[in-house]
Amino acid sequence: MWPLPGARPVGQSVGVTDLFDLRDPAFVTEPYGALAAAREQAPVLWHEGLGLWVTTTHTAANDVLRDRRLGRILRPRSEGDDAWTTFDWLHADSILDSEPPKHTRLRRLVAGAFARGHVARLRPRVEEIASGLLDDVERVLDRDSRVDVIAAYAEPLPVLVICELLGAPTADWKVLRDWSQAIVRMYEVDPDAASQRDAQRACDEFASYVEALAAERASAPGDDLLTSLVQERDGGDRLSPRELVATVVLLLNAGHEASVNGFGNGLASLLADPGERDAVLDRLDDAGVVERLVEEMLRHDSPLHLFERTATADVELHGVTVRAGQKVAALLGAANRDPAVFADPDRFDASREPNPHLAFGAGIHFCLGAPLARMELQISTRALLERLGAIEVVEAVRRPTFVLRGYERLVVSPSAGPDRSSE
Ligand code: HEM
């Protein structure tokens, strides 16, 4: 949740950065130059405009995500305003926004449900979904010679997959996407009043939808993840009704927002370097090539840029003291371009190895959906490149958001070079 500006640190000499403003469209379009300049200053800086500490290096971001004295701590919005009630409990009862011991309990139950083979079983369905969407993509390309891969492919694919996983009707994907987008808009800087109302309404409708679906599965179990979540037991423990709904809403949100943007950002990075694109096209049948490509897509232009924590005690962090109650933000995009860890970090190197990026986070909140996200991105990237061959970006429109970084539109066309799609 976005913090109110905190008090500037007193009694210590610290680097203060005003090198970037998250509301500045130029920074949102191309943040990496300013983040590199901030990294030159110090690994941890006080950001005057945000009123919190920010990390600029890989080590500092990793340390923040792993330090148990730095927790995900929510400030309820509903105090004095009932319209936020559902929004608040959807977050307070979710695994992502809880801390031990509640987090440990929820993670065990949710991970237990995931471990029942649902993701591995989904592989052929993901391939079918990708292939069906690519039929439409090709039809549009035949007609217009260009296609927006975000709208036609990247957006529907992960929502359809998460619907399959949970056993939600795939016909509902559009409304689920709309609810989820309304909620995640609250994670950006200063959402306006209309966005706040949209998020409140989305939470109410989304929660009722999931409650009804969970009730159906309780009386008529299926072989989906939702049924496993309804049935999951750890000794005498189980998810409470609110925890169940909060988990499903989180999975539907987390399960696709980052995947859409991870695909779009990564594809744009790959296509920006035709030499790299052609090298990948030549070796698409090698699973290792596609695995390394996807890791580099996630590193080079990460879909999630900022995760904040609140200090529960004074914490020494790379030369500064984060005082109890202050917030510190791990900047994942900055970490993933740190030259101390990644040689030539601004270069998209599809065969980079090792690639210890932090796009999925680190520590106790490390992404629970990483195996699904990786499988989905590997299948969808390979399928698109196999079908379309050498393509190039002809129009790219960024979303105006920093925390969730992605494209509004990414229009591609067959490359002006030789047609390779039939090779
Ligand atoms: C490219 C796609 C994805 C990226 C980059 C991503 C990234 C992340 C990151 C950075 C976190 C940690 C947040 C923090 O430390 O505060 C996280 C947590 C989480 N992600 Fe993902 N994610 C992706 C896809 C998915 C998918 C497909 C699912 C579900 C099916 C999912 C479910 C979750 C859950 C449940 C958590 C919370 C884990 C916890 O708090 O213990 N994610 N994700």
Side-chain angles (χ1 to χ4, degrees):
M1 211 51 37
W2 203 256
L4 296 171
R8 191 173 175 158
V10 287
Q12 54 177 325
S13 148
V14 297
V16 174
T17 184
D18 54 3
L19 280 173
F20 53 90
D21 172 359
L22 305 195
R23 279 163 275 220
D24 174 5
F27 173 70
V28 170
T29 305
E30 179 18 64
Y32 297 109
L35 292 175
R39 193 184 303 113
E40 295 282 305
Q41 281 186 269
V44 184
L45 292 165
W46 178 256
H47 193 293
E48 193 69 2
L50 298 173
L52 46 63
W53 299 96
V54 292
T55 66
T56 61
T57 63
H58 188 279
T59 316
N62 193 43
D63 289 347
V64 165
L65 295 173
R66 289 177 188 276
D67 194 314
R68 298 312 319 125
R69 296 164 302 169
L70 299 171
R72 282 194 68 116
I73 297 179
L74 267 183
R75 188 186 310 109
R77 289 170 178 261
S78 53
E79 282 163 8
D81 185 354
D82 289 348
W84 289 111
T85 304
T86 314
F87 183 96
D88 273 355
W89 69 255
L90 279 180
H91 287 82
D93 276 337
S94 99
I95 177 174
L96 183 58
D97 277 301
S98 56
E99 284 292 298
K102 181 169 176 175
H103 176 268
T104 319
R105 211 196 111 234
L106 290 178
R107 178 116 184 169
R108 199 177 295 130
L109 286 162
V110 179
F114 257 88
R116 297 183 186 279
H118 296 292
V119 172
R121 265 203 302 278
L122 212 57
R123 177 174 281 277
R125 271 303 289 147
V126 179
E127 277 162 358
E128 271 172 37
I129 292 170
S131 171
L133 290 169
L134 283 171
D135 292 344
D136 295 341
V137 165
E138 282 190 316
R139 267 192 286 279
V140 177
L141 263 183
D142 285 346
R143 193 185 62 215
D144 304 336
S145 312
R146 52 194 275 145
V147 63
D148 175 7
V149 286
I150 299 293
Y153 192 58
E155 225 167 46
L157 188 132
V159 201
L160 290 169
V161 170
I162 201 85
C163 285
E164 289 278 342
L165 179 72
L166 284 161
T170 46
D172 294 346
W173 82 266
K174 195 78 184 69
V175 64
L176 296 172
R177 166 97 181 137
D178 290 347
W179 284 333
S180 153
Q181 289 233 286
I183 296 172
V184 300
R185 230 167 277 137
M186 297 305 297
Y187 307 149
E188 299 293 339
V189 196
D190 291 344
D192 60 19
S195 302
Q196 298 192 26
R197 275 193 306 277
D198 287 349
Q200 292 163 348
R201 201 184 48 241
C203 284
D204 289 336
E205 292 175 3
F206 207 162
S208 309
Y209 174 92
V210 174
E211 270 160 18
L213 203 61
E216 255 176 51
R217 284 307 177 289
S219 57
D223 61 356
D224 46 58
L225 179 69
L226 179 54
T227 302
S228 294
L229 286 167
V230 169
Q231 293 175 343
E232 191 64 27
R233 299 283 186 283
D234 180 25
D237 191 19
R238 60 186 299 192
L239 294 173
S240 75
R242 279 194 169 181
E243 287 165 353
L244 179 72
V245 174
T247 302
V248 174
V249 168
L250 171 67
L251 292 177
L252 281 161
N253 283 347
H256 78 271
E257 292 295 345
S259 305
V260 175
N261 294 333
F263 177 88
N265 295 355
L267 184 68
S269 291
L270 171 69
L271 299 183
D273 183 341
E276 208 60 10
R277 176 201 64 195
D278 291 347
V280 168
L281 282 174
D282 282 340
R283 300 186 52 212
L284 265 184
D285 47 357
D286 180 336
V289 167
V290 179
E291 278 166 26
R292 286 189 289 279
L293 166 67
V294 164
E295 297 309 307
E296 183 67 348
M297 288 165 69
L298 290 167
R299 180 200 74 85
H300 187 260
D301 196 11
S302 304
L304 298 170
H305 268 243
L306 183 153
F307 285 97
E308 58 172 72
R309 300 289 192 262
T310 306
T312 55
D314 287 0
V315 177
E316 298 300 317
L317 199 65
H318 296 264
V320 307
T321 306
V322 179
R323 299 271 178 225
Q326 284 186 333
K327 287 177 181 281
V328 53
L331 297 185
L332 303 189
N336 290 340
R337 295 278 188 118
D338 185 346
V341 177
F342 304 101
D344 203 357
D346 295 331
R347 177 164 175 251
F348 186 88
D349 174 1
S351 51
R352 191 181 290 276
E353 202 176 35
N355 194 342
H357 64 74
L358 293 178
F360 288 117
I364 64 164
H365 291 286
F366 179 82
C367 180
L368 196 58
L372 174 62
R374 286 188 156 121
M375 187 239 281
E376 205 173 270
L377 284 168
Q378 287 163 13
I379 291 175
S380 59
T381 305
R382 181 208 295 259
L384 179 113
L385 293 174
E386 260 171 14
R387 283 272 200 116
L388 305 189
I391 46 173
E392 61 190 21
V393 175
V394 291
E395 186 194 342
V397 181
R398 278 268 175 212
R399 287 176 185 279
T401 50
F402 173 75
V403 179
L404 276 80
R405 176 169 172 76
Y407 285 98
E408 194 81 52
R409 286 165 59 70
L410 190 67
V411 182
V412 303
S413 242
S415 159
D419 176 16
R420 311 168 52 105
S421 57
S422 54
E423 284 174 18

